[in-house]
Amino acid sequence: MKNLPIFPAGEVWLVGAGPGDAGLLTLHAVNALEQADVVVHDALVGADVLDMARDGVELVFVGKRGGVTSPKQPEINRRLIAYAKAGKRVLRLKGGDPFMFGRGAEEALDLVAANIPFRIIPGITAGIGGLAYAGVPVTSREVNSSVIFLTGHDKRGLSPDNVDWAATAKAGMIVMYMAMRNMHEIAGNLVAAGRPADDPVVVVSNATLPDMQVVETTLERAADDIAASGIGAPAIISIGRGNLLREALNWRGV
Ligand code: SAH
């Protein structure tokens, strides 16, 4: 593509693939897919996106599938470095944005330590673009002047214990990743910290994809309504009055 960089052999490009819809890839991401020799991707990167890679590309899956655990992060980093040292153009493709709860920083730091040249290509994160496809704006002037992005589980799979719930409860909009399993506990913490129990909540699973599903609920009912609806991961959960704009906008991306 005109004016887009050549992908030099021996480099690793850390690229965000966006939330799913291939139309949300950046031109830099498409340019990278058209040149890469090997694409190392996780489970959140869908077939439509991978289809855009050039013929003969080597696709390497390093995500979790069907309960089978993924390769550990040091092993993924080791592989990226090995491919680069073998003179490949290595595309590390991650769902959403590589620096939003995506361990992109860890991978980049290992590349720095190994002296491998790299490039970071941001992507549209699910917590903004995915919500937009459900008709939820993360900010709007009349409603909120702050947004907090929160992960719903830590390395142990538990609700993170280093969250300042009092500060989080004050954010105009709270956007949560990986929060489905711990929603009951998270909602309890937020209500205890002063968030209204009837604060509107929107849950969007498979955002931007044909099987996108949306559940509207409230903070106190969220965990039960998630269970009752059968909605599954991956899902973004937004908490705040901005969710109410969904009705007036009445716009869906899929
Ligand atoms: N780097 C990614 C986030 C990785 S963490 C990004 O910027 O979007 C994985 C979590 O992201 C999932 O558990 C889910 O909470 C969220 N997520 C990613 N893609 C999603 C999608 N298409 N729909 C809903 N949630 C998504």
Side-chain angles (χ1 to χ4, degrees):
M1 240 179 288
K2 222 173 146 194
N3 295 330
L4 289 169
I6 304 279
F7 200 152
E11 285 202 2
V12 176
W13 286 8
L14 218 59
V15 180
D21 179 349
L24 296 176
L25 285 166
T26 62
L27 293 178
H28 272 297
V30 174
N31 177 55
L33 280 160
E34 286 174 349
Q35 298 179 71
D37 299 310
V38 44
V39 176
V40 180
H41 65 98
D42 47 42
L44 287 173
V45 178
D48 285 356
V49 169
L50 294 174
D51 267 357
M52 302 188 71
R54 68 173 181 79
D55 288 345
V57 69
E58 185 182 351
L59 296 179
V60 180
F61 174 70
V62 292
K64 254 182 240 165
R65 192 166 279 163
V68 180
T69 53
S70 48
K72 296 274 175 270
Q73 194 65 45
E75 167 62 14
I76 296 173
N77 298 6
R78 199 191 58 71
R79 280 196 219 172
L80 294 176
I81 291 165
Y83 283 125
K85 286 195 168 154
K88 308 260 191 207
R89 295 167 187 85
V90 188
L91 171 41
R92 175 63 173 120
L93 194 56
K94 291 168 165 291
D97 181 273
F99 282 171
M100 182 68 96
F101 301 131
R103 302 200 194 166
E106 291 162 62
E107 293 180 10
L109 286 170
D110 269 22
L111 296 173
V112 171
N115 239 332
I116 305 286
F118 65 92
R119 174 184 280 269
I120 311 285
I121 299 178
I124 294 179
T125 190
I128 298 178
L131 283 178
Y133 267 43
V136 175
V138 284
T139 75
S140 73
R141 204 162 59 162
E142 304 303 316
V143 178
N144 63 313
S145 51
S146 66
V147 187
I148 196 161
F149 296 103
L150 190 70
T151 172
H153 80 197
D154 62 12
K155 275 185 178 166
R156 304 159 303 163
L158 305 175
S159 176
D161 52 19
N162 59 353
V163 174
D164 180 342
W165 292 108
T168 304
K170 291 198 183 84
M173 174 81 98
I174 304 167
V175 175
M176 295 197 301
Y177 295 68
M178 299 174 278
M180 296 286 270
R181 216 176 320 146
N182 297 325
M183 194 53 204
H184 185 71
E185 190 181 342
I186 291 166
N189 284 326
L190 286 172
V191 172
R195 195 88 183 176
D198 64 354
D199 212 18
V201 170
V202 166
V203 183
V204 190
S205 82
N206 293 312
T208 80
L209 294 166
D211 51 351
M212 178 168 102
Q213 259 185 290
V214 181
V215 168
E216 288 186 17
T217 174
T218 61
L219 196 48
E220 66 185 338
R221 299 188 45 87
D224 287 347
D225 284 351
I226 287 168
S229 68
I231 196 171
I236 286 291
I237 302 178
S238 67
I239 304 170
R241 286 191 304 119
N243 286 319
L244 298 176
L245 293 174
R246 190 168 186 256
E247 194 181 340
L249 288 173
N250 192 25
W251 183 80
R252 314 279 177 271
V254 282

